[in-house]
Amino acid sequence: MSALNKADPQVARIVEAERRRQSETLELIPSENHASTPVLEAMGSVLTDKYAEGSPQKRWYSGCKNVDDIEQLAIDRAKKLFGAEHANVQPHSGTTANLAVYLAALTPGRKIMGMDLAHGGHLSHGMAVNASGQFYKVVHYGVRKDTEMLDLDQIRQLALKERPDLLVTGASAYPRIVDFEGFGRIAREVGCPMLADIAHIAGLVVGGVHPHPFPHADFVMSTTHKTLRGPRGGLILCKKQWARKVDSAIFPGYQGGPFMHSIAAKAVAFFEAMSPQFTEYAKMVVRNAKTLAGQLTELGWRLVSGGTDNHLMLIDLRTRREQLTGEKAAQWLASAGIVTNKNLLPFDTRTPGVTSGIRLGTPALTTRGMGEQEMKTIAGWIDQILKSDGEQTLISKIHEGVLELCREFPVPDNPYQTAPEEIRHARNISNPRCKLQPG
Ligand code: DSN
């Protein structure tokens, strides 16, 4: 950052402040992670200078030889990593990727059926305030009130009644396995294509700790920066017959010039995710989440659906203190350096700005090399802060502990060299970079 420091110290200072904030806090927002330095280097490269509307070998502008090479490499790696027939690596974000799939699969006014945001779905699954809810008819499914889990029989009944033109699966706040095979059966029975949104769980899917959406889904979309630990961005994978429609939905449908620097960084992240270390990382993310969830439960906190199968969990704050809101809880935890987000619970009676829950996840802490012992410590801190009604002396004391833990587990330059001790041991990873061969 020395050039930036010299040229624009004002910006450099803010970037440095964010680097520090990340290194001195415990990041428990389940959609956040720490990308490796190789990913960051690709993001910060000269590829940002190039316009490249179109796709490899089919561009509108000259001078695309190198960006053709990088995009083709990213496409090939994405297809290999996810076992996909076709990949488009250009989406700028997950929401854009979802909208592009709708544009590819549907004409405006057709019907999508997706999970309600209030039950853990996503804005782009048909919320009225999102373009998806304005251009398409929408029917939402949710979780059962008694189990707080998806019930495929109920979803099937709704799908048979509503006859959607696209069935959308996947979530942003659902702590359980999504049964893509079961959803695929429903889509086939209804006679519509299926989209699996794996933005949250992509890293778990490629790490083999969540069932794969292929071959059940016609379209799979993801972000690249959550459990996949790449650069901020999106990705669409699909069956061959949808390839042309998906590509033209992205360009010229929704986007102009692709971000070639991001595409290069996606290529790096796909390469990293093919490594055995990444598989171990994905396993550890889930193991850590189960430990954190188990400990919170033991301490008396009710978790939505009773626990987790993936990287995230939702604490029902009302179980211990009726008046406690997600808004307050997240503020108290943040003052101790524990970063979470307020989140609606299924059937929540509070507003989205207040909420009765907080959402926690383990991808970023696992990248720092933390393991089960640290999860137990953090669960204890969360419990103490929430029970104390945000008592300041306690928060300050816990903040000291948080800083100490952060120093013990720094944000790694290259997470492939800082796997948890037990993983390093099990795999005898001395120089993981040497083991990474382009796939
Ligand atoms: N903002 C993302 C999340 O936190 O889950 C979803 O887009």
Side-chain angles (χ1 to χ4, degrees):
M1 288 283 165
S2 59
L4 182 61
N5 258 323
K6 263 193 220 148
D8 192 339
Q10 217 180 341
V11 168
R13 257 198 307 278
I14 299 171
V15 174
E16 173 55 19
E18 173 58 11
R19 193 201 58 73
R20 250 182 101 158
R21 186 198 67 81
Q22 290 186 17
S23 72
E24 293 179 355
T25 53
L26 297 173
E27 184 53 73
L28 278 118
I29 295 174
S31 49
E32 296 188 13
N33 210 332
H34 303 289
S36 69
T37 304
V39 164
L40 297 180
E41 273 182 20
M43 281 286 280
S45 67
V46 293
L47 293 171
T48 193
D49 294 342
K50 189 70 195 107
Y51 255 125
E53 284 98 329
S55 51
Q57 313 299 335
K58 282 180 270 165
R59 306 285 189 186
W60 293 87
Y61 292 15
S62 303
C64 287
K65 156 84 179 82
N66 299 317
V67 291
D68 275 0
D69 288 351
I70 203 70
E71 185 167 349
Q72 194 55 56
L73 187 59
I75 290 169
D76 293 345
R77 286 179 179 176
K79 283 165 68 177
K80 185 171 174 189
L81 181 63
F82 289 94
E85 291 175 10
H86 180 74
N88 187 306
V89 295
Q90 293 188 3
H92 299 331
S93 74
T95 292
T96 316
N98 273 331
L99 292 172
V101 171
Y102 304 153
L103 189 63
L106 307 167
T107 48
R110 304 308 292 240
K111 194 185 279 184
I112 58 176
M113 178 166 150
M115 190 170 178
D116 196 336
L117 177 71
H119 286 215
H122 190 257
L123 273 172
S124 60
H125 295 181
M127 281 294 287
V129 290
N130 182 261
S132 57
Q134 294 177 21
F135 298 158
Y136 305 98
K137 289 196 193 86
V138 178
V139 52
H140 277 135
Y141 57 85
V143 295
R144 286 178 65 106
K145 200 162 188 177
D146 52 352
T147 60
E148 297 174 313
M149 293 193 210
L150 294 170
D151 176 336
L152 282 193
D153 290 334
Q154 274 186 2
I155 292 166
R156 176 175 169 271
Q157 291 304 330
L158 186 66
L160 290 173
K161 181 169 152 248
E162 295 286 345
R163 296 271 159 196
D165 300 296
L166 179 71
L167 181 59
V168 183
T169 68
S172 61
Y174 184 64
R176 296 298 179 178
I177 296 290
V178 178
D179 179 358
F180 293 124
E181 190 176 352
F183 270 105
R185 272 197 301 274
I186 295 172
R188 282 195 300 281
E189 193 177 347
V190 171
C192 71
M194 170 178 145
L195 161 65
D197 176 338
I198 60 165
H200 262 262
I201 55 169
L204 309 186
V205 167
V206 301
V209 286
H210 190 289
H212 208 294
F214 284 135
H216 319 293
D218 301 271
F219 307 91
V220 174
M221 62 65 61
S222 182
T223 51
T224 46
H225 50 274
K226 298 186 175 101
T227 49
L228 200 54
R229 204 163 60 182
R232 187 159 296 278
L235 167 73
I236 302 174
L237 308 154
C238 64
K239 296 195 169 155
K240 239 192 208 122
Q241 74 257 34
W242 292 103
R244 225 167 43 82
K245 284 195 163 174
V246 161
D247 288 351
S248 49
I250 285 293
F251 175 82
Y254 268 107
Q255 295 185 178
F259 295 170
M260 299 315 302
H261 55 302
S262 284
I263 289 172
K266 287 174 194 176
V268 176
F270 300 150
F271 172 47
E272 291 177 345
M274 284 175 204
S275 66
Q277 292 91 334
F278 191 88
T279 305
E280 295 304 323
Y281 163 72
K283 281 187 199 155
M284 197 67 200
V285 166
V286 175
R287 207 186 316 160
N288 276 343
K290 282 184 185 292
T291 305
L292 185 60
Q295 193 67 17
L296 286 165
T297 307
E298 218 163 273
L299 292 166
W301 295 96
R302 193 188 80 80
L303 302 184
V304 166
S305 82
T308 183
D309 297 326
N310 58 23
H311 62 302
L312 68 81
M313 67 212 68
L314 292 151
I315 304 183
D316 182 349
L317 300 162
R318 300 165 303 191
T319 38
R320 294 293 292 274
R321 309 185 82 77
E322 186 54 44
Q323 298 316 312
L324 183 52
T325 65
E327 190 183 22
K328 259 279 151 264
Q331 278 168 13
W332 292 338
L333 293 170
S335 4
I338 300 173
V339 185
T340 64
N341 69 273
K342 61 186 170 198
N343 215 97
L344 284 176
L345 303 174
F347 310 98
D348 209 325
T349 49
R350 291 188 171 123
T351 60
V354 180
T355 82
S356 303
I358 49 171
R359 188 181 65 151
L360 313 175
T362 53
L365 298 185
T366 308
T367 292
R368 292 177 85 144
M370 292 186 198
E372 296 173 73
Q373 193 46 52
E374 289 72 40
M375 296 305 117
K376 288 183 183 165
T377 304
I378 293 166
W381 286 337
I382 293 173
D383 172 62
Q384 286 175 48
I385 292 171
L386 298 185
K387 276 198 312 211
S388 79
D389 267 339
E391 208 269 304
Q392 266 315 312
T393 327
L394 179 78
I395 286 183
S396 305
K397 196 166 143 260
I398 290 177
H399 192 201
E400 280 169 31
V402 166
L403 289 172
E404 206 175 302
L405 191 60
C406 288
R407 278 192 293 274
E408 200 183 330
F409 293 89
V411 175
D413 285 345
N414 185 342
Y416 298 87
Q417 290 171 327
T418 52
E421 196 55 44
E422 57 205 279
I423 296 176
R424 278 204 297 263
H425 246 59
R427 299 223 151 222
N428 193 16
I429 302 166
S430 51
N431 185 356
R433 258 194 252 230
C434 299
K435 293 190 183 163
L436 296 178
Q437 294 304 322

